[in-house]
Amino acid sequence: MKWAWMVVGMACLAGFPQALAQAQANANANAQVDVAAYIRKDAFEDIKISPDGDFFAATVALEDKTGLVVLRRSDLKVTARFALGKNTHIYDFVWVNPTRLVVSMAQKFGALDKPQATGELFAVNADGSQPQLLVGQRVQGGGAGTRIMTSKAEDVAAVVVDTLPSDSRNILVGVRPFLENPYPRVEKMDVITGRRMVVTRAPVPWADFTTDNEGGVRFASGSGGDNVNKLFYRDGEGSEWKLINDEDSEGRREFALGFSIDNKVAYLLSERAQGPDAIVAYDTRSGIRTDLVRDETIDPHMILYAFGKQAPVGVMFMKGKPRSVFFDKESPEARAYRGMEEALPDEAVYITSTTADGKLALVQAWSDRNPGDFYLYDLTTRKASYLLSRRSEFDPADMASMRPIELKSRDGLSLNGYVTLPAGSAGKALPMVVMPHGGPFGVKDDWGFATESQILAKAGYAVLQVNFRGSSGYGRAFQQAGARQWGLAMQDDLTDATRWAIQQGIADPGKICIFGASYGAYAALMGVAKEPSLYRCAAGYVGVYDLPTMHGADSRDGKSSKTFANEWYGDPATLATVSPNRMADRIKVPVFLAAGGEDEIAPMAHSTMMERALGKTGIPVETLYYKTEGHGFYTEPHRLEFYRKLLAFLGKNLGGAVAKE
């Protein structure tokens, strides 16, 4: 009798996985996703501590711009606010002394735009007084409590090169005239009056400068209209620039990162012809290069600096969960990071800033389930105190996990990426959304809290993200393998990853859709054109769908842009064959398109062309157009409507949850 009961029990258990999967599907069908909770902006973005530790400065995302606030450390009371007009964002900010900040501005015309620095530099005190336009053309005030005073309006762009910690009144800025191939110069600038004095001029167009720990300008890296990188070095003030790396002759690109504390060794980021980038120690006396840190597969993700200094001491890699590697494993910075990583084993940690004496550090901790918490870390006592969170309303235990994956493409190329699985899911036979990133070049998906992935996982979907060839982060050869491969090998990588997820049992082969934004939207529509039986539907958000049109628009922006378009998009005569709107007759599944009328990156005309082409074939097309939006929707009601429509569209085709009304 005992054995009989065991046989019956095992027979019941044999069908348990299918029953569980069906129960999960039924639960998802009845569930609703509170999209509004996910699309709320972070309370804070970047936060930095002042040199004396008395203040924090933080960027705050507003509806269609970014502002800066200053908080007194003792009570977190706001002492200053700074913001400009619509579409204007904080590109970066630095404390130049214990009471004054310099803020560099950027513009973008949509939530997904890459901010484009305007070259304007503003300054403001920690108490909100003496707001000043130091460099730039803007003459409007706003946000800092009084009308912003201005120096003179100029047709130049400026970036901070060095804050000169030993000089409380002046900083070094790189100044670039508005010309097609400008030769920038470094100038010393008074942060109160904006007065400037030339220090040196660049030996190469579009140069970026790197200083030593005494504020001496020692490196210049740039390229002309041919997009060939050159790196120059000089021994010090008054010395001549000498070329130490030419991409054409050496087959590598190099960029200076900074100097050792004694200024005897410079650290370079070296892009090799094959394999990932390396951190190189460059002996400034002998000129000898020595590889210092290099991962087998992944490029450096972030540089780690000495406490209270701008000397590089380590690097963070992002393959799966981030990990830190230090030049000296027993350095104070290495020991501090080890302690923080042990205390927060499920999180990644990064020191955003320290006080000038190196005793207090502001630490950011984040994970795939946590948008980010900030801690104040006493480097002397090794004690940390919680400060604030980006999104305190989320419980990490309720969020979806992001699992690193690795697979081989059909031609043997190693591909890395992530699968996000719904919380509590067994991760098998799930409806799946393939989500290619935008860009496509110089961009990649990373481990961390991803709002769209979390929304989709909450609706019951597995989310597949793969860093296809052309993505950054895996070496120069990997990125260049994507050149002129729109709709070809880059698309094949997405197809191969989708089939891999099916083979692994993660995805239900009959319930897969593909959705992306910008280039990802192109890849979504190209995916259903090239593989009409693999996907059940496609959704494109602010996408480009006609490559000859895109190539022509970019080629009109100047010689460098035309060179880039030819090298990376391909011959305009061949691009029609990999344009989804010209392949609409091959698309057999429903499509959802969303776009903004003010989008300068992917004009709405691409979406309307795609819609018309599909309309001629009788394929069901849903659309959401807002004339006042740009490259990604800013306005919260518009973003809410987009995700509601997206979830409804996916739900009709895959059976997942819809958005809560």
Short mmCIF file of all heavy atoms in Angstrom, two decimals, residues 166-190:
data_model
loop_
_atom_site.label_atom_id
_atom_site.label_comp_id
_atom_site.label_asym_id
_atom_site.label_seq_id
_atom_site.Cartn_x
_atom_site.Cartn_y
_atom_site.Cartn_z
N SER A 166 44.09 73.13 -4.74
CA SER A 166 44.91 74.03 -3.94
C SER A 166 44.62 75.50 -4.24
O SER A 166 45.19 76.39 -3.61
CB SER A 166 46.39 73.75 -4.17
OG SER A 166 46.74 73.95 -5.54
N ASP A 167 43.76 75.77 -5.20
CA ASP A 167 43.40 77.14 -5.59
C ASP A 167 41.89 77.28 -5.46
O ASP A 167 41.13 76.76 -6.28
CB ASP A 167 43.86 77.40 -7.03
CG ASP A 167 43.64 78.84 -7.47
OD1 ASP A 167 42.82 79.55 -6.85
OD2 ASP A 167 44.27 79.25 -8.47
N SER A 168 41.42 77.99 -4.46
CA SER A 168 39.98 78.08 -4.19
C SER A 168 39.26 79.04 -5.13
O SER A 168 38.03 79.06 -5.17
CB SER A 168 39.74 78.54 -2.74
OG SER A 168 40.27 79.84 -2.55
N ARG A 169 40.00 79.80 -5.92
CA ARG A 169 39.40 80.83 -6.75
C ARG A 169 39.33 80.45 -8.23
O ARG A 169 38.44 80.90 -8.96
CB ARG A 169 40.20 82.13 -6.59
CG ARG A 169 39.68 83.33 -7.36
CD ARG A 169 38.48 83.95 -6.70
NE ARG A 169 37.92 85.04 -7.49
CZ ARG A 169 37.66 86.26 -7.03
NH1 ARG A 169 37.91 86.54 -5.77
NH2 ARG A 169 37.14 87.18 -7.80
N ASN A 170 40.25 79.58 -8.70
CA ASN A 170 40.37 79.30 -10.12
C ASN A 170 40.26 77.82 -10.43
O ASN A 170 40.55 76.96 -9.58
CB ASN A 170 41.72 79.82 -10.65
CG ASN A 170 41.85 81.32 -10.52
OD1 ASN A 170 41.23 82.06 -11.27
ND2 ASN A 170 42.66 81.76 -9.56
N ILE A 171 39.84 77.53 -11.66
CA ILE A 171 39.84 76.16 -12.18
C ILE A 171 40.41 76.20 -13.59
O ILE A 171 40.57 77.27 -14.19
CB ILE A 171 38.43 75.55 -12.21
CG1 ILE A 171 37.50 76.33 -13.14
CG2 ILE A 171 37.84 75.47 -10.81
CD1 ILE A 171 36.13 75.70 -13.34
N LEU A 172 40.71 75.02 -14.15
CA LEU A 172 41.12 74.91 -15.54
C LEU A 172 39.93 74.43 -16.36
O LEU A 172 39.22 73.50 -15.98
CB LEU A 172 42.28 73.93 -15.71
CG LEU A 172 43.60 74.30 -15.05
CD1 LEU A 172 44.65 73.24 -15.38
CD2 LEU A 172 44.09 75.68 -15.50
N VAL A 173 39.71 75.08 -17.50
CA VAL A 173 38.63 74.69 -18.39
C VAL A 173 39.18 74.49 -19.80
O VAL A 173 40.12 75.17 -20.23
CB VAL A 173 37.49 75.73 -18.42
CG1 VAL A 173 36.81 75.81 -17.07
CG2 VAL A 173 37.99 77.10 -18.85
N GLY A 174 38.60 73.52 -20.51
CA GLY A 174 38.87 73.36 -21.93
C GLY A 174 37.87 74.18 -22.70
O GLY A 174 36.65 74.07 -22.49
N VAL A 175 38.35 75.03 -23.61
CA VAL A 175 37.48 75.95 -24.35
C VAL A 175 37.58 75.64 -25.84
O VAL A 175 38.68 75.57 -26.40
CB VAL A 175 37.88 77.42 -24.09
CG1 VAL A 175 37.00 78.37 -24.90
CG2 VAL A 175 37.79 77.74 -22.60
N ARG A 176 36.42 75.42 -26.46
CA ARG A 176 36.37 75.04 -27.87
C ARG A 176 35.51 76.02 -28.64
O ARG A 176 34.33 76.21 -28.33
CB ARG A 176 35.81 73.62 -28.01
CG ARG A 176 35.53 73.21 -29.44
CD ARG A 176 35.03 71.78 -29.52
NE ARG A 176 33.85 71.52 -28.72
CZ ARG A 176 32.61 71.81 -29.08
NH1 ARG A 176 32.37 72.43 -30.22
NH2 ARG A 176 31.59 71.51 -28.29
N PRO A 177 36.06 76.65 -29.70
CA PRO A 177 35.24 77.52 -30.54
C PRO A 177 34.28 76.70 -31.38
O PRO A 177 34.52 75.52 -31.66
CB PRO A 177 36.27 78.24 -31.41
CG PRO A 177 37.46 77.35 -31.43
CD PRO A 177 37.47 76.63 -30.11
N PHE A 178 33.17 77.32 -31.78
CA PHE A 178 32.18 76.63 -32.60
C PHE A 178 32.63 76.64 -34.06
O PHE A 178 32.19 77.47 -34.87
CB PHE A 178 30.81 77.29 -32.45
CG PHE A 178 30.17 77.08 -31.11
CD1 PHE A 178 29.30 78.01 -30.57
CD2 PHE A 178 30.44 75.93 -30.38
CE1 PHE A 178 28.71 77.81 -29.34
CE2 PHE A 178 29.84 75.72 -29.14
CZ PHE A 178 28.98 76.66 -28.61
N LEU A 179 33.50 75.69 -34.40
CA LEU A 179 34.00 75.52 -35.75
C LEU A 179 33.87 74.05 -36.13
O LEU A 179 33.69 73.18 -35.26
CB LEU A 179 35.47 75.94 -35.85
CG LEU A 179 35.79 77.39 -35.46
CD1 LEU A 179 37.29 77.60 -35.42
CD2 LEU A 179 35.14 78.36 -36.45
N GLU A 180 34.00 73.72 -37.42
CA GLU A 180 33.82 72.33 -37.84
C GLU A 180 34.91 71.43 -37.27
O GLU A 180 34.65 70.32 -36.83
CB GLU A 180 33.81 72.22 -39.37
CG GLU A 180 33.54 70.79 -39.83
CD GLU A 180 33.34 70.67 -41.33
OE1 GLU A 180 33.17 71.71 -41.99
OE2 GLU A 180 33.35 69.54 -41.84
N ASN A 181 36.16 71.87 -37.29
CA ASN A 181 37.26 71.09 -36.72
C ASN A 181 38.06 71.98 -35.77
O ASN A 181 39.17 72.42 -36.09
CB ASN A 181 38.17 70.53 -37.82
CG ASN A 181 37.67 69.21 -38.36
OD1 ASN A 181 37.42 68.28 -37.60
ND2 ASN A 181 37.48 69.14 -39.66
N PRO A 182 37.52 72.26 -34.59
CA PRO A 182 38.14 73.23 -33.69
C PRO A 182 39.37 72.67 -32.97
O PRO A 182 39.44 71.47 -32.67
CB PRO A 182 37.02 73.51 -32.68
CG PRO A 182 36.27 72.22 -32.63
CD PRO A 182 36.29 71.69 -34.03
N TYR A 183 40.32 73.54 -32.70
CA TYR A 183 41.47 73.21 -31.86
C TYR A 183 41.23 73.86 -30.49
O TYR A 183 41.40 75.07 -30.34
CB TYR A 183 42.76 73.75 -32.48
CG TYR A 183 43.28 72.91 -33.62
CD1 TYR A 183 42.71 73.00 -34.89
CD2 TYR A 183 44.33 72.01 -33.43
CE1 TYR A 183 43.16 72.23 -35.94
CE2 TYR A 183 44.80 71.23 -34.49
CZ TYR A 183 44.21 71.34 -35.73
OH TYR A 183 44.68 70.57 -36.77
N PRO A 184 40.83 73.09 -29.50
CA PRO A 184 40.53 73.67 -28.19
C PRO A 184 41.78 74.20 -27.49
O PRO A 184 42.92 73.91 -27.89
CB PRO A 184 39.93 72.49 -27.40
CG PRO A 184 39.52 71.50 -28.44
CD PRO A 184 40.52 71.66 -29.54
N ARG A 185 41.56 74.95 -26.43
CA ARG A 185 42.65 75.47 -25.60
C ARG A 185 42.26 75.28 -24.14
O ARG A 185 41.08 75.16 -23.80
CB ARG A 185 42.91 76.94 -25.90
CG ARG A 185 41.69 77.84 -25.75
CD ARG A 185 41.94 79.24 -26.29
NE ARG A 185 40.79 80.13 -26.08
CZ ARG A 185 39.82 80.31 -26.97
NH1 ARG A 185 39.85 79.67 -28.13
NH2 ARG A 185 38.81 81.13 -26.69
N VAL A 186 43.26 75.25 -23.26
CA VAL A 186 43.02 75.20 -21.82
C VAL A 186 43.22 76.60 -21.27
O VAL A 186 44.22 77.27 -21.59
CB VAL A 186 43.96 74.21 -21.12
CG1 VAL A 186 43.74 74.25 -19.61
CG2 VAL A 186 43.74 72.80 -21.64
N GLU A 187 42.27 77.03 -20.43
CA GLU A 187 42.36 78.35 -19.83
C GLU A 187 42.12 78.24 -18.33
O GLU A 187 41.34 77.39 -17.87
CB GLU A 187 41.34 79.30 -20.46
CG GLU A 187 41.57 79.50 -21.95
CD GLU A 187 40.57 80.46 -22.59
OE1 GLU A 187 39.61 80.86 -21.90
OE2 GLU A 187 40.77 80.80 -23.75
N LYS A 188 42.80 79.09 -17.58
CA LYS A 188 42.53 79.21 -16.15
C LYS A 188 41.40 80.21 -15.98
O LYS A 188 41.46 81.33 -16.51
CB LYS A 188 43.77 79.67 -15.39
CG LYS A 188 43.55 79.79 -13.89
CD LYS A 188 44.81 80.23 -13.16
CE LYS A 188 45.79 79.09 -13.00
NZ LYS A 188 46.91 79.42 -12.09
N MET A 189 40.37 79.81 -15.22
CA MET A 189 39.18 80.65 -15.10
C MET A 189 38.86 80.96 -13.64
O MET A 189 38.88 80.07 -12.79
CB MET A 189 37.97 79.96 -15.74
CG MET A 189 36.70 80.81 -15.69
SD MET A 189 35.31 80.05 -16.57
CE MET A 189 34.97 78.65 -15.50
N ASP A 190 38.54 82.22 -13.37
CA ASP A 190 38.08 82.68 -12.07
C ASP A 190 36.62 82.27 -11.90
O ASP A 190 35.77 82.62 -12.72
CB ASP A 190 38.22 84.21 -12.00
CG ASP A 190 37.93 84.77 -10.62
OD1 ASP A 190 36.85 84.45 -10.06
OD2 ASP A 190 38.75 85.54 -10.09
#
